[in-house]
Amino acid sequence: MEPESPFIPYLARLQSVTDLTPDTKLFNLELNDPAMRDNFDYSPGQFAFLSAFGVGEAPFCLASVSYRKAGLEFAVRRVGTVTSALHELEPGATVGVRGPFGNHFPLEDYKGRNIIIIGGGIGMAPLRPVINTIIDHRDDYGDLLIINGARTPQDLVFAPEFDIWAASPRSRVELTVDRGDEAWTGRVALVPDVVKELKPSPENAITITCGPPIMIHFVLEALRMLGFSDHQIVTTLEGKMKCGLGKCARCNVGEYYICKDGPVFTFEQISRFIEQF
Amino acid sequence: MTFVMSKEDLRSWLGQLMEERTLIAPTSTDGLILFQQIARVEEVVLDFDNTVLPPKGCFFPATETLFTVQREDGRINLIPSVVARETVLFGLRPCDANGIALLDKPFLAEPSDTLYQQHRDKTILVGLSCNKVSPECFCTSVGGAPNDSSHLDILLTKIEEGCIIQAITERGKALLPLKQAPQTEAQPPSPPCPEVVPVAGALEVIRQVFGDTYWSRLADRCIHCNLCAYVCPTCYCFDVRDYEDGGRIERVRTWESCQSPGFTRIAGGYDPRSSGGARLRQRFYHKLLYFAEQFGAISCVGCGRCVKFCPVNIDIREVVRDIQSLGVKGGA
């Protein structure tokens, strides 16, 4: 018996598909093999590949938390061929799952600290399990500030969960959009400007930020202006990936592979990379 | 174990090997020397500089099905590809054997690439020393030698009377004919000396020249044809995609190159390495620095194929010299 190829995905059943925004759906999957279901443990920040058989495979961060044992969740924005094929699927369909891959946010190390979450667009997907872990273990962490921006109010990915997050003790949810609509009474501002407006204190704080590269660039600038050190600012890097195993070399940046050395890095680490992504 | 095998005995040994195994050896097709499966012993060519393509495709084929998707009564089964046949890869140069040992590092690192592993396990490597060097060769500058037997099971060296045969591994010994000529004192001809390239000097300063405009200037003449990666024994970047053909679905791995536009482009269109200069620099930095940091050896074996075939004469030996001189200037 040959050892199983690391390219063979686990088969999983699509349990539910929920529209999150006009172009993003939440997929909840259950692995077909009951033994695998129990063994598939993962941490916030890790990712897995989803297969739409016949179309291909792409990496997505796990948007659920492992310990809730309520299925594997992925927030998938329709941007390419694999994501379009996934969007066509109905509950009951079979997909492939390979993972979990990569490192994770070291939440154990953040205990007792104030946590600032800054997410833009689909960048909220890896941040959702961080937020849920904190609110499920609320006494372990200090204040929680969530700054979430999107292009329009309709594009705020986890809108139905904002009330739950905000209801957690010592937690605030601050929303912003690039363009409002008739119903929107909230902020119309860019995420980095909201950071400057709210002026979170760097003292005993960790910032976790995910979003489009341009947002990250200016958020980083704003945080540094407020006195945050690069080791207090954590992000996930995105890279083209075909294996998740450090073999295909697509996500190679300097001496690192985003798929196995990342995707989670502090800006202190990133600033030491020989090549800047 | 070393002995001399006559030309006739070599032919009959190859004939024997073909009966039980797939024999892959250099052949001449339209004037090109290529590794191909041998149907008749006479097809094997022993007089050549080096093959146009390295033998990496024996282990990491240019396209290979990883698994097939089978649909049965609405159920999906994934059928992994397996490598069934024992193969003898005959006539590879020591530099190319070194190339295979370098490919092993990423592919066999945990979790092992099982398909690559099967190709490796089922293939015996019978090498052929170089009695002369090509103008592009520089194996001795990157740790190799024209008669290097490391990473081979058997090494052949051509001499007037036939071949000196050295069994390097137990596996190689077991492949040899039972009836052998007595051990020989015959000394192989001393190996030729290829060009010397200052690799060590360049590696000392390579970090200092990352931001130099050298890379974009060099890339101005690069047409990003990927030929350098195609002919390279150690380039291993790949792509994975699905093909659906009349209900049959296969997931296929193909060679890819860091020189391709879009190699690093992510969903949504952002490409962190969109310029030609950054892509060309990646080729050299991955080979000379990143791979070495990760696996302890640079991923170049000095075969010189990229030098020989580059349509715009980008020459890794020149690049190494340029890195060294730019670094020295920058440091002064």
Side-chain angles (χ1 to χ4, degrees):
Chain A
M1 183 75 184
E2 299 285 352
E4 187 81 331
S5 160
F7 284 98
I8 306 277
Y10 307 124
L11 296 176
R13 183 182 170 278
L14 198 49
Q15 300 198 103
S16 67
V17 182
T18 315
D19 285 322
L20 293 175
T21 76
D23 64 6
T24 303
K25 292 183 179 190
L26 185 72
F27 293 90
N28 185 297
L29 314 175
E30 185 179 63
L31 297 176
N32 287 3
D33 181 350
M36 268 329 298
R37 262 175 241 161
D38 295 331
N39 291 335
F40 198 99
D41 280 323
Y42 55 96
S43 300
Q46 287 196 287
F47 67 96
F49 284 79
L50 291 184
S51 283
F53 293 116
V55 179
E57 192 183 51
F60 302 95
C61 53
L62 283 141
S64 45
V65 285
S66 192
Y67 59 83
R68 286 189 185 175
K69 295 281 174 205
L72 307 177
E73 289 187 329
F74 298 88
V76 177
R77 186 169 157 224
R78 195 180 60 236
V79 283
T81 47
V82 173
T83 53
S84 296
L86 290 170
H87 271 236
E88 296 295 312
L89 298 177
E90 306 269 345
T94 300
V95 297
V97 180
R98 273 195 318 124
F101 292 121
N103 68 354
H104 56 85
F105 295 108
L107 291 181
E108 286 294 308
D109 300 345
Y110 301 163
K111 284 185 175 175
R113 307 187 99 173
N114 299 323
I115 310 288
I116 302 144
I117 303 280
I118 305 173
I122 192 66
M124 283 305 284
L127 299 175
R128 181 186 186 233
V130 175
I131 294 167
N132 282 332
T133 301
I134 292 170
I135 65 176
D136 286 347
H137 305 85
R138 197 62 199 91
D139 293 342
D140 290 347
Y141 300 91
D143 295 345
L144 174 65
L145 170 62
I146 298 166
I147 302 172
N148 180 195
R151 286 167 297 173
T152 74
Q154 282 196 319
D155 294 310
L156 288 161
V157 180
F158 294 112
E161 295 172 43
F162 293 156
D163 287 344
I164 303 169
W165 298 348
S168 180
R170 292 172 288 115
S171 304
R172 264 168 82 186
V173 178
E174 299 285 348
L175 304 175
T176 186
V177 294
D178 298 349
R179 290 186 308 280
D181 56 22
E182 307 81 59
W184 181 254
T185 55
R187 265 190 204 86
V188 178
L190 297 175
V191 169
D193 293 331
V194 178
V195 175
K196 285 185 217 161
E197 173 203 326
L198 297 174
K199 295 188 180 57
S201 164
E203 198 167 321
N204 193 34
I206 287 286
T207 301
I208 305 179
T209 181
C210 295
I214 187 77
M215 183 203 92
I216 300 278
H217 177 85
F218 288 106
V219 163
L220 185 63
E221 223 175 69
L223 289 169
R224 283 171 174 164
M225 217 176 69
L226 292 171
F228 282 81
S229 306
D230 283 3
H231 67 83
Q232 292 174 281
I233 312 170
V234 189
T235 191
T236 58
L237 288 183
E238 210 179 334
K240 182 86 176 169
M241 291 176 194
K242 288 291 176 171
C243 71
L245 310 163
K247 298 188 194 295
C248 76
R250 304 295 286 268
C251 70
N252 167 241
V253 47
E255 290 103 317
Y256 302 96
Y257 289 82
I258 294 172
C259 72
K260 65 185 189 65
D261 302 311
V264 175
F265 295 99
T266 66
F267 274 96
E268 189 182 36
Q269 293 171 310
I270 292 170
S271 62
R272 285 202 303 261
F273 289 1
I274 191 168
E275 184 178 24
Q276 291 300 313
F277 261 28
Chain B
M1 183 166 66
T2 303
F3 63 96
V4 175
M5 192 184 264
S6 70
K7 287 170 189 164
E8 295 72 38
D9 286 352
L10 179 62
R11 267 196 291 275
S12 71
W13 177 48
L14 288 176
Q16 263 174 35
L17 293 179
M18 282 170 57
E19 285 171 20
E20 289 160 16
R21 298 176 170 84
T22 299
L23 177 64
I24 294 179
T27 60
S28 178
T29 307
D30 300 330
L32 299 178
I33 305 294
L34 296 166
F35 281 106
Q36 288 187 305
Q37 185 170 339
I38 303 298
R40 291 176 304 114
V41 174
E42 299 72 47
E43 294 165 6
V44 177
V45 174
L46 288 179
D47 191 23
F48 63 97
D49 293 339
N50 205 352
T51 52
V52 173
L53 293 176
K56 76 175 167 189
C58 295
F59 311 95
F60 169 43
T63 69
E64 182 173 43
T65 299
L66 296 171
F67 62 83
T68 306
V69 182
Q70 239 178 33
R71 289 178 196 273
E72 229 179 307
D73 310 325
R75 286 176 55 92
I76 285 181
N77 286 314
L78 307 180
I79 315 296
S81 298
V82 288
V83 179
R85 274 267 308 163
E86 299 278 340
T87 298
V88 174
L89 175 56
F90 180 87
L92 74 161
R93 296 299 187 188
C95 59
D96 285 336
N98 190 15
I100 294 164
L102 291 172
L103 287 181
D104 285 350
K105 292 176 188 287
F107 282 117
L108 301 184
E110 282 299 318
S112 173
D113 187 301
T114 49
L115 201 51
Y116 177 90
Q117 174 92 61
Q118 288 179 49
H119 284 298
R120 283 290 273 134
D121 290 347
K122 301 223 170 191
T123 306
I124 295 185
L125 304 181
V126 182
L128 185 61
S129 322
C130 301
N131 291 353
K132 56 181 181 187
V133 294
S134 303
E136 306 85 15
C137 292
F138 58 102
C139 65
T140 50
S141 299
V142 289
N147 60 350
D148 183 8
S149 62
S150 7
H151 319 301
L152 287 166
D153 295 300
I154 297 172
L155 177 66
L156 273 63
T157 306
K158 275 186 359 181
I159 52 172
E160 197 64 36
E161 316 83 284
C163 278
I164 297 176
I165 307 254
Q166 288 169 267
I168 312 297
T169 63
E170 287 303 316
R171 204 179 173 201
K173 216 176 272 182
L175 192 75
L176 289 170
L178 290 174
K179 268 180 84 178
Q180 286 161 5
Q183 299 266 343
T184 182
E185 297 298 312
Q187 287 297 312
S190 37
C193 195
E195 180 176 339
V196 174
V197 180
V199 175
L203 295 185
E204 275 175 33
V205 296
I206 189 167
R207 285 179 181 276
Q208 296 158 36
V209 302
F210 187 86
D212 202 282
T213 55
Y214 173 76
W215 302 106
S216 52
R217 281 184 284 121
L218 187 64
D220 281 345
R221 74 172 197 262
C222 174
I223 57 171
H224 302 285
C225 66
N226 294 352
L227 202 60
C228 50
Y230 192 73
V231 301
C232 178
T234 65
C235 273
Y236 65 93
C237 293
F238 61 80
D239 199 41
V240 175
R241 51 182 65 206
D242 282 12
Y243 287 97
E244 185 161 14
D245 186 13
R248 181 187 166 83
I249 295 172
E250 286 174 75
R251 180 154 296 165
V252 176
R253 164 157 69 192
T254 62
W255 291 355
E256 177 52 297
S257 160
C258 59
Q259 300 312 296
S260 299
F263 181 76
T264 49
R265 187 168 54 229
I266 56 177
Y270 176 68
D271 189 347
R273 204 181 286 136
S274 55
S275 78
R279 291 204 299 277
L280 193 56
R281 178 177 60 193
Q282 171 69 13
R283 172 171 173 79
F284 295 107
Y285 273 72
H286 191 215
K287 288 196 171 300
L288 300 173
L289 182 62
Y290 311 151
F291 192 92
E293 292 275 338
Q294 200 182 0
F295 298 118
I298 67 166
S299 67
C300 173
V301 297
C303 72
R305 287 186 180 90
C306 57
V307 178
K308 185 173 180 179
F309 293 111
C310 177
V312 297
N313 296 327
I314 291 175
D315 184 332
I316 189 169
R317 300 168 304 176
E318 258 174 56
V319 172
V320 165
R321 289 192 188 99
D322 290 344
I323 289 172
Q324 189 188 28
S325 61
L326 282 170
V328 169
K329 258 188 258 163

